[in-house]
Amino acid sequence: MLRNLMLRIADSPALVGFLSRQGMKTGFARRFVAGESLQEAIPVVEGLNSKGIKCSLDLLGEGVEDEETARTATQSYVNLLHVIQERGVDCNISIKLTQLGLDIGRQVAARNLKKILDAARECGNFVRIDMEGSDYTADTVELFVEHLEIYGPATVGIVIQSYLRRSEEDVRRLASLGCNIRLCKGAYKEPPELAFPKKSQVDDNFVKLMEIMLASPCYSAIATHDEKMINRAQELIERDGVDSSRYEFQMLYGTRSEYQEEIKNQGYRMRVYVPFGTQWAPYFIRRLAERPANVLFVLRNLFKK
Ligand code: FDA
C-alpha cells in the first residue's frame, strides 16, 4: 500500500516540487543522494573507494522531453567519464535512456547513447543502462543488444528486473550473449499482467534468474540489500565454484552501508550506486516507496525543521 501511495506521489508535480525544495535545504535527500553537483559526488566516491568499495555514478534525470535537455545530459555524461579518468576513481556510470531522449524517439536516444559509449571506450570505462518502467523495457533491451554488438560487454551492460514476467526470457537470451547484467527486483509501479504482484514471487524469480545468470557465460551484478538473496547467491557461487571475476554485489548509496562493508570485507567485490544531481526527487521517492522506515526518516527531518 505504502509502495503504491509513494509511487503515485511521484506522479504529482506539486508534491515532487515540495520535496525538491525541502530535500537539500533540510538535508534529508542527502541520505540517498550524494549531492546536487559532481563536486559533491566525487568525494563520496573517493570515500567509498578508500574502503575498497567500487562505485557507479548516476547523474539523476529521466523522462526528458526535449532534444536540447537530452543533449546536455549526454554531454554531462561524456564529461563525467573524463572526470572519472582524471581523478583516477574506481567508478563506472549508470544512465537512463529516457534521460537521453527515448520519449522523443528511439533514434535520439541511440545517437546520444553512442556518444556516451564512444567516450566510455576512449576512457576505458563501462556504462550500465538502467532499466526503467515497463513502457521502456522492449526498447531498452533492443537498443542494448544493438550497441552490445558494436561496443562489447566490457563497455556496455544492462539491468533486468525480477518483478517482470518477461524477465526470464530476457535473461536467457542476454545471458547466452555473455554480457554484463545487473539483476534487481524492480522499482516502478507495474500492472499484475506484466509484473508479479507478490513479494514472494518477485523474490523467487530473483533466485531463479540469478541461478540462470551464474550458470551462464554472463557477468552477474547482483543488486539487492536483501540478505536472503545475497546468502543464496553466495551459496550458489560456493557450490558451483563460480570464478570471482564473473560477478559482483551492488547496493544503493545510503542503504545498509555497514552491510556493504561487511560483504566487501568477506572478500566479495562490492559496488555502490551513487546518484547525484538536481533532478533527484523521482529517484528519492522510489527509495521511500521501498521501506516505511525511509518515509519516517523524511517526516522526522521535516518535523525537526
Ligand atoms: P527489498 O526492498 O525487497 O528488501 C528486502 C529485504 O532487504 C528487507 O526485507 C530487509 O530485510 C532488507 N533491507 C532492505 N533495505 C534495508 C535497509 N535500509 N536496512 C535494513 N534492511 C534492509 N530498480 C530498477 O527498477 N531499475 C534499475 O535500473 C535499478 N538499479 C538498481 C541498482 C542497484 C545497485 C540497486 C541496489 C538497486 C537498483 N534498483 C533498480 C532498485 C531495485 O529494483 C529495488 O527497488 C531496491 O534495490 C530494493 O529492493 P531490494 O532488493 O533491496 O529488496
Side-chain angles (χ1 to χ4, degrees):
M1 209 176 86
L2 172 84
R3 183 170 188 272
N4 285 344
L5 176 70
M6 293 313 299
L7 293 176
R8 228 173 267 143
I9 286 178
D11 292 333
S12 157
L15 283 165
V16 168
F18 172 76
L19 263 185
S20 302
R21 284 189 299 279
Q22 296 300 316
M24 286 292 165
K25 203 162 76 185
T26 62
F28 64 72
R30 289 184 194 279
R31 161 80 195 274
F32 298 113
V33 178
E36 292 200 326
S37 68
L38 182 57
Q39 287 70 25
E40 290 172 287
I42 288 286
V44 170
V45 170
E46 286 171 338
L48 287 160
N49 282 176
S50 72
K51 295 176 184 159
I53 294 175
K54 298 167 185 297
C55 295
S56 188
L57 270 169
D58 167 33
L59 169 60
L60 290 161
E62 54 198 90
V64 167
E65 285 171 356
D66 65 284
E67 285 203 39
E68 184 53 34
T69 309
R71 245 195 317 271
T72 305
T74 302
Q75 194 49 49
S76 301
Y77 269 117
V78 169
N79 294 342
L80 176 57
L81 285 161
H82 288 289
V83 171
I84 289 172
Q85 189 179 36
E86 280 155 27
R87 296 291 285 260
V89 283
D90 189 347
C91 182
N92 60 35
I93 64 168
S94 293
I95 62 161
K96 287 187 174 55
L97 290 181
T98 68
Q99 189 179 19
L100 306 188
L102 188 56
D103 283 325
I104 309 164
R106 211 167 174 275
Q107 290 315 314
V108 177
R111 195 166 56 233
N112 289 329
L113 177 61
K114 184 176 178 308
K115 286 184 193 154
I116 296 173
L117 294 177
D118 283 341
R121 192 156 61 181
E122 191 189 315
C123 296
N125 209 333
F126 173 82
V127 178
R128 172 86 55 194
I129 304 175
D130 283 349
M131 190 57 82
E132 303 180 64
S134 57
D135 288 349
Y136 305 105
T137 311
D139 275 340
T140 304
V141 171
E142 293 318 317
L143 277 167
F144 166 68
V145 171
E146 282 166 29
H147 289 81
L148 177 69
E149 281 166 15
I150 304 166
Y151 293 91
T155 305
V156 63
I158 194 168
V159 179
I160 291 292
Q161 299 150 323
S162 73
Y163 66 10
L164 286 190
R165 295 180 189 273
R166 62 171 278 164
S167 288
E168 181 176 348
E169 208 174 303
D170 285 332
V171 160
R172 289 193 189 279
R173 173 182 174 209
L174 296 170
S176 70
L177 300 176
C179 62
N180 185 325
I181 305 173
R182 174 198 293 153
L183 179 65
C184 68
K185 291 189 187 177
Y188 296 81
K189 187 162 158 34
E190 301 292 357
E193 313 83 78
L194 298 181
F196 297 111
K198 288 190 190 154
K199 180 175 158 46
S200 60
Q201 294 172 303
V202 177
D203 288 356
D204 288 349
N205 202 39
F206 192 99
V207 172
K208 186 179 192 180
L209 301 183
M210 195 162 66
E211 283 172 354
I212 298 170
M213 285 165 55
L214 288 170
S216 81
C218 81
Y219 184 90
S220 305
I222 299 157
T224 179
H225 314 96
D226 190 339
E227 254 164 84
K228 284 207 297 292
M229 301 298 117
I230 292 171
N231 290 343
R232 183 69 189 133
Q234 291 173 338
E235 277 167 23
L236 290 169
I237 287 162
E238 179 90 356
R239 187 194 72 188
D240 299 338
V242 184
D243 194 87
S244 62
S245 63
R246 290 205 31 245
Y247 63 85
E248 67 186 39
F249 291 99
Q250 298 190 347
M251 293 194 198
L252 299 175
Y253 174 65
T255 302
R256 307 205 75 182
S257 308
E258 285 173 14
Y259 193 30
Q260 293 168 7
E261 284 191 55
E262 191 185 313
I263 290 176
K264 189 259 143 198
N265 291 335
Q266 287 167 6
Y268 295 101
R269 192 176 299 134
M270 167 58 69
R271 187 179 302 275
V272 169
Y273 183 101
V274 180
F276 74 99
T278 53
Q279 306 297 307
W280 50 263
Y283 173 88
F284 186 78
I285 291 170
R286 286 198 291 277
R287 302 291 76 79
L288 299 188
E290 278 156 14
R291 212 171 149 76
N294 292 342
V295 179
L296 288 176
F297 169 80
V298 171
L299 290 176
R300 263 202 310 273
N301 271 266
L302 283 172
F303 202 58
K304 253 196 294 188
K305 197 76 191 168

